[in-house]
Amino acid sequence: MIFKYLSHIISATAFMCVASVIPSMAYALHYDIGPVGLKLTGYGTAGILEPDFKTPDFIGDWRVRGEIDWRITDINSFGAVYAIDAAAVDEDKYMREGFVYWQNRHYGRAEFGFTDSIARKLGVGLPDVGGLRVNDKPLFYKKIHPNGPVISDTTLTTGRSALRLNLATMPIGAAQYGLSVSGITDNYDYAIDAAIKIRRPSGKVKTAYSFGASFMSHPDNYRTDAYTPRVNADWRAQISGGMNLQYNSWMWGLTARVIYDDDPIGPVSDGLAVGTGVSYDILNYSISLTYIFSDTGIWNRDINDYMDHTAIASFRYKYSENVDMWVSIGMTTETPFLSAGLRLTF
């Protein structure tokens, strides 16, 4: 029965995707004009998701990112970035990020504008070869609404809606350090994020470790996780940690995020999320298994906490450097699902 569904889904998805996504390849840009570099990158995904293996529902995802870089000297450069994606549009925002930066090859990089915090940028995610955006507001929850608040993102985040200054060092030995400060927003007074990432990319076993922490003063009707209530509290603190381990074609990941709100008013939206996953690549084929556990409301004894379990198995076939097809089968706390699609990157 499952193979019957797979056949129908892949056939329908291939037709829709070739018609709607392929033309965007013509707009890919990567040019150097003297000291100025122009770059346009992105992806488009179209597919189908079947909750309970019943009526198929269309899903779409995309992102476009433009960057201009001006090399002042061999050491220093200035630049600007603008990006927009489906996740931002879903929240009625006109951009995913927009910022300017200065980069020094000896010291590091400074970013100013609307972008992710340094704790998220130096974080590590879970291995996943499907197209359901497991590490960033998962697509399956657009079609399968959870029965309670879910912290689906295991990487620390304080959003992209406040004016932010990010500072990151160049790698110092195996480590890279970062600090960010944000404010000038209606959602909180200020937020401070710090992170460290340790990479060992050489040798038979390659590893990456990441640790992050954040403090937010007076969150006011604030929310970064799409499936939790908006929070009003005296302050919010977060910590996160992650590890990626690669051995030949095997990749294993483990990530965790803990959120605590002090004296919250209204619905509870803090708790923890823990995830793990493994992937394997061989030639043009990849497979992955991913599991995420969320527990919301664990710090408040006056209410029952809500636990969510999500497990996903995915398969990807890479047709070319820019085109791949994927199939995922998974289970949220109460709903099994099947999904497949086509993805184009440029």
Side-chain angles (χ1 to χ4, degrees), residues 78-81 98-102 109-115 164-165:
F78 292 90
V81 171
F99 63 92
V100 296
Y101 66 83
W102 165 74
R109 178 179 172 110
E111 301 173 341
F112 182 73
F114 299 92
T115 186
R164 182 183 303 277
L165 173 65

Side-chain angles (χ1 to χ4, degrees), residues 138-168:
L139 286 172
F140 48 83
Y141 279 127
K142 292 180 65 175
K143 306 299 180 181
I144 307 171
H145 300 291
N147 292 328
V150 173
I151 303 170
S152 62
D153 195 332
T154 58
T155 306
L156 191 156
T157 178
T158 51
R160 295 179 291 269
S161 60
L163 200 60
R164 182 183 303 277
L165 173 65
N166 280 341
L167 300 173

Side-chain angles (χ1 to χ4, degrees), residues 77 164 259 264:
S77 62
R164 182 183 303 277
I259 307 171

Side-chain angles (χ1 to χ4, degrees), residues 27-41 65-71 78-80 101:
Y27 300 101
L29 285 174
H30 190 183
Y31 295 119
D32 288 321
I33 308 171
V36 178
L38 301 172
K39 187 176 183 181
L40 182 67
T41 58
R65 185 181 190 272
E67 179 176 355
I68 180 169
D69 178 79
W70 179 25
R71 296 178 295 278
F78 292 90
Y101 66 83

